[in-house]
């Protein structure tokens, strides 16, 4: 492509292999007031 | 849905539903903006031949699911409404009197009290009973100041380890502390047993001491810094965060981040205060442009600092790992307050999260009674970025996940109405996070 550079391919995971629910609750990580999930990790692989 | 924005010298395009990220040259950025605003892309002063090339590029992205992608289907989480995360209020008391404290300097608008070991054990039993098939559980030792009830903290960790063995669970204990009462014995225990430590320290001494006096009215900065540095120096690779707060008094909070890195900390989270508008420390709409500029400056500092081995640091809200990030279901449902996440007070009352504690209309139940208020739980379950109109149409929905439910109630007026100032700040931080990620590639 001439005018666009791909930095990140589609990455939001959906489907039956997701939603295990084992990941950390976002509010428990550091913030305790301004929750976000952008900086959370999927726990499926590491656990 | 897409979001195109400028970050430093970059034109960035986020494809919302797929999470794909692209950079555009100036012509492509102009064409995308024209298309988004319903204008004729051939009438914006870009050469027709160039416009055609850009549209061809966008069509190629679209064919690969990386531009204007359709929304995916988020499956129901395995394990239903199991509780996996508990905020254990071991102390409704504190040795500081922070002027912006959401918890009314530790008493949560009630009596100053400590949790008994019996109540703590019953809380952990409750967590195990309600955790269903979840293997990994979290318990945050919280307050007030949890170190004021240290023996109970230790007893509960020991009891938690027994429960792990008995029930085949893994409990990640964390602690949120101001470090004032920290000593060598506590540091050893924390570094051995706590999966993460959240340390509250606001940055520059004058900023911190102005709003965070001790009970006796003295500044708390010196003792906190000394103890926090000792803890972090002996923590090795285990997780910690220096968690500060900025108010309207320090809209130049980049200077506080710089101060924290200068003290030797590398894991930093400086959060905007959320208070009623009439508070002398609250952030208001008139502050937003100034804060946006500060986040831009922080992002530039962050990107440059991370190039150096000695200057590298992590900033909680700029952390961004698209490949290793959460699944769609997590992005839609967010913090899990009231369903997956629950707070327990010293007298055994159960609330959707720590921020709801003391709001009797949001009390879910008590450890004495086995049943939680299912009507409240249904309200939380039914409140997510797909059901909230303001979130459904927001480009940042999968990065914010709907924001803080308690802030919505307290400052937005209802569970379904996110706090607008928090939304603005979240969008700005998300742009910075994505932009910094692109810069580091």
């Amino acid at each position: 492509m001439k005018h666009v550079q791909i930095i990140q391919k589609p990455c939001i995971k959906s489907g039956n292999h997701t939603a295990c629910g084992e990941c950390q609750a976002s509010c428990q990580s550091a913030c305790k007031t301004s929750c976000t999930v952008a900086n959370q990790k999927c726990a499926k692989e590491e656990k | 849905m897409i979001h195109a924005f400028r970050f430093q010298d970059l034109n960035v395009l986020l494809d919302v539903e797929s999470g794909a990220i692209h950079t555009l040259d100036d012509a492509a950025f102009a064409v995308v903006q024209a298309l988004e605003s319903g204008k004729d892309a051939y009438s914006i002063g870009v050469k027709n031949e160039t416009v055609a090339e850009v549209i061809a590029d966008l069509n190629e992205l679209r064919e690969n699911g990386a531009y204007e992608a359709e929304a995916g289907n988020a499956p129901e989480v395995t394990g239903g409404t199991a509780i996996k995360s508990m905020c254990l209020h071991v102390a409704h008391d504190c040795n500081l009197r922070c002027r912006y404290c959401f918890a009314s300097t530790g008493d949560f608008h009630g009596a100053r009290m400590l949790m008994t070991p019996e109540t703590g054990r019953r809380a952990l039993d409750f967590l195990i009973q309600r955790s269903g098939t979840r293997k990994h559980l979290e318990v945050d030792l919280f307050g007030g100041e949890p170190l004021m009830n240290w023996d109970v903290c230790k007893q509960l960790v020991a009891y938690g380890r027994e429960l792990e063995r008995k029930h085949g669970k893994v409990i990640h204990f964390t602690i949120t502390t101001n470090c004032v009462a920290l000593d060598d014995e506590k540091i050893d225990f924390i570094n051995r047993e706590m999966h993460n430590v959240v340390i509250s320290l606001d940055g520059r001494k004058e900023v911190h001491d102005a709003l965070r006096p001790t009970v006796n009215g003295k500044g708390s900065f010196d003792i906190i810094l000394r103890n926090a540095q000792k803890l972090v120096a002996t923590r090795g690779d285990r997780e910690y965060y220096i968690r500060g707060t900025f108010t309207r008094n320090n809209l130049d909070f980049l200077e506080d981040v710089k101060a924290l890195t200068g003290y030797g900390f590398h894991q930093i989270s400086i959060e905007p205060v959320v208070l009623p508008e009439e508070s002398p420390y609250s952030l208001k709409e008139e502050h937003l442009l100034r804060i946006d500029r500060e986040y831009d400056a922080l992002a530039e500092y962050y990107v440059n600092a991370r190039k150096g081995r000695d200057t590298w640091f992590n900033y909680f809200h700029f952390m961004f790992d698209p490949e290793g990030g959460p699944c769609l279901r997590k992005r839609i449902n967010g913090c899990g307050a009231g369903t997956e996440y629950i707070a327990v007070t010293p007298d055994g009352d159960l609330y959707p999260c720590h921020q709801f504690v003391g709001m009797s209309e949001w009390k879910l139940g008590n450890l004495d009674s086995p049943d939680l208020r299912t009507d409240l739980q249904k309200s939380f379950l039914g409140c997510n970025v797909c059901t909230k109109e303001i979130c459904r149409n927001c480009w940042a929905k999968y990065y914010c996940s709907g924001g803080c439910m308690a802030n919505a109630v307290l400052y937005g007026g209802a569970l379904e109405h996110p706090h607008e100032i928090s939304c603005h700040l979240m969008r700005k931080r998300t742009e910075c996070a994505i932009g910094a990620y692109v810069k580091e590639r």
Side-chain angles (χ1 to χ4, degrees):
Chain A
M1 289 183 288
K2 206 169 174 182
H3 301 276
V4 178
Q5 183 184 358
I6 297 172
I7 302 295
Q8 174 62 51
K9 291 179 179 174
C11 56
I12 292 183
K13 297 179 279 288
S14 61
N16 291 334
H17 62 293
T18 64
C20 68
E22 293 287 345
C23 54
Q24 186 181 36
S26 46
C27 216
Q28 292 283 60
S29 49
C31 58
K32 287 285 185 183
T33 52
S34 50
C35 291
T36 178
V37 294
N39 53 13
Q40 302 293 301
K41 286 182 182 172
C42 173
K44 200 170 179 74
E45 298 302 321
E46 68 186 50
K47 288 174 179 173
Chain B
M1 190 192 312
I2 63 155
H3 178 58
F5 62 98
R6 293 274 304 167
F7 179 78
Q8 298 177 8
D9 59 341
L10 297 173
N11 302 312
V12 182
L13 171 62
L14 168 71
D15 185 54
V16 173
E17 297 295 344
S18 72
I21 298 165
H22 318 292
T23 53
L24 311 175
D25 65 18
D26 289 342
F29 190 64
V31 169
V32 165
Q33 285 188 309
L35 293 173
E36 279 300 288
S37 58
K39 289 182 189 165
D40 177 3
Y42 289 95
S43 66
I44 57 171
V46 177
K47 284 182 185 173
N48 286 356
E49 182 186 344
T50 304
V51 173
E53 288 170 354
V54 170
I55 290 175
D57 285 354
L58 296 177
N59 284 337
E60 186 177 333
L61 290 177
R62 186 183 284 110
E63 285 168 16
N64 290 308
Y67 179 69
E68 296 183 332
E70 297 293 321
N73 293 320
E76 288 299 312
V77 69
T78 309
T81 55
I83 295 170
K84 67 174 182 180
S85 190
M86 177 172 278
C87 189
L88 205 51
H89 291 225
V90 293
H92 271 192
D93 198 357
C94 189
N95 40 22
L96 297 184
R97 292 293 180 267
C98 304
R99 303 192 199 288
Y100 53 62
C101 180
F102 79 93
S104 175
T105 69
D107 64 15
F108 287 81
H109 304 283
R112 293 192 180 274
M113 61 193 298
L114 303 179
M115 182 176 277
T116 64
E118 291 74 23
T119 300
R121 283 195 289 269
R122 287 169 63 212
L124 295 180
D125 288 340
F126 179 84
L127 175 63
I128 295 288
Q129 287 161 12
R130 296 295 183 113
S131 62
T133 58
R134 300 288 175 78
K135 183 176 176 66
H136 295 90
L137 310 178
E138 301 147 26
V139 176
D140 189 35
L141 303 172
F142 196 67
E145 173 48 46
L147 297 187
M148 293 182 76
N149 200 8
W150 180 242
D151 282 342
V152 169
C153 289
K154 288 195 295 185
Q155 288 178 51
L156 294 182
V157 171
Y159 186 62
R161 299 298 178 228
E162 281 179 36
L163 293 175
E164 284 180 320
R165 287 189 290 274
K166 190 173 172 186
H167 298 277
K169 305 280 186 180
V170 176
I171 300 177
H172 284 162
F173 281 96
T174 60
I175 190 165
T176 302
T177 175
N178 61 34
C179 290
V180 168
L182 208 57
D183 58 25
D184 288 349
E185 183 262 332
K186 295 184 182 77
I187 287 175
D188 286 346
F189 185 86
I190 287 171
N191 283 342
R192 190 170 64 248
E193 297 288 352
M194 297 294 135
H195 184 72
N196 193 359
V197 185
V198 179
I199 299 164
S200 54
L201 174 63
D202 284 355
R204 290 165 290 180
K205 177 179 168 70
E206 63 272 24
V207 168
H208 179 103
D209 279 346
L211 296 184
R212 306 195 62 201
T214 63
V215 175
N216 296 327
K218 295 178 180 173
S220 59
F221 175 85
D222 290 333
I223 187 168
I224 292 176
L225 177 63
R226 185 169 65 245
N227 288 342
Q229 284 177 320
K230 195 167 187 182
L231 187 150
V232 169
T234 53
R235 191 154 174 77
D237 294 333
R238 304 201 75 183
E239 289 182 29
Y240 76 92
Y241 271 100
I242 302 295
R243 194 271 188 224
T245 298
F246 73 85
T247 71
R248 71 172 71 163
N249 289 0
N250 60 317
L251 297 179
D252 60 343
F253 55 89
L254 167 58
E255 298 307 315
D256 296 293
V257 173
K258 287 179 180 175
L260 292 171
T261 60
Y263 306 144
F265 300 120
H266 302 291
Q267 303 291 340
I268 296 168
S269 174
I270 297 282
E271 309 276 341
V273 76
V274 185
L275 286 170
E277 196 168 290
E278 61 271 20
S279 163
Y281 313 112
S282 67
L283 302 175
K284 298 164 79 168
E285 201 170 330
E286 68 206 51
H287 300 124
L288 293 180
L289 273 178
R290 174 70 185 82
I291 296 171
D292 285 354
R293 286 202 302 273
E294 197 68 8
Y295 274 128
D296 282 332
L298 172 56
E300 188 172 356
Y301 177 75
Y302 172 83
V303 169
N304 288 328
R306 286 164 65 89
K307 291 173 185 167
R309 192 174 155 199
D310 296 334
T311 53
W312 186 96
F313 73 100
N314 224 5
Y315 185 72
F316 180 71
H317 280 296
F318 292 172
M319 287 164 57
F320 184 71
D321 176 10
E323 290 291 347
C327 62
L328 183 60
R329 188 265 170 197
K330 167 88 168 181
R331 291 173 188 269
I332 287 173
N333 287 277
C335 70
T339 53
E340 299 178 333
Y341 178 48
I342 202 166
V344 186
T345 68
D347 47 10
D349 285 341
L350 305 168
Y351 286 90
C353 82
H354 57 289
Q355 297 262 357
F356 281 100
V357 168
M359 299 161 68
S360 56
E361 66 273 33
W362 292 95
K363 184 175 148 182
L364 285 171
N366 186 280
L367 291 173
D368 290 333
S369 53
D371 297 322
L372 300 179
R373 274 187 61 186
T374 51
D375 59 325
L376 283 183
Q377 287 200 295
K378 280 181 184 168
S379 298
F380 283 99
L381 268 178
C383 188
N384 58 56
V385 298
C386 296
T387 61
K388 289 186 275 192
E389 190 176 354
I390 194 168
C391 297
R392 198 163 52 235
N393 300 314
C394 176
W395 66 264
K397 59 186 174 182
Y398 295 143
Y399 302 88
C400 151
S401 75
C404 174
M405 304 264 206
N407 286 347
V409 169
L410 286 167
Y411 306 114
L415 211 53
E416 302 79 15
H417 298 155
H419 178 225
E420 286 181 17
I421 287 178
S422 296
C423 290
H424 177 101
L425 298 179
M426 178 64 75
R427 285 191 292 268
K428 183 63 190 174
R429 290 194 300 258
T430 303
E431 284 186 353
C432 289
I434 294 171
Y437 171 77
V438 174
K439 278 280 180 188
E440 288 190 336
R441 293 278 292 200

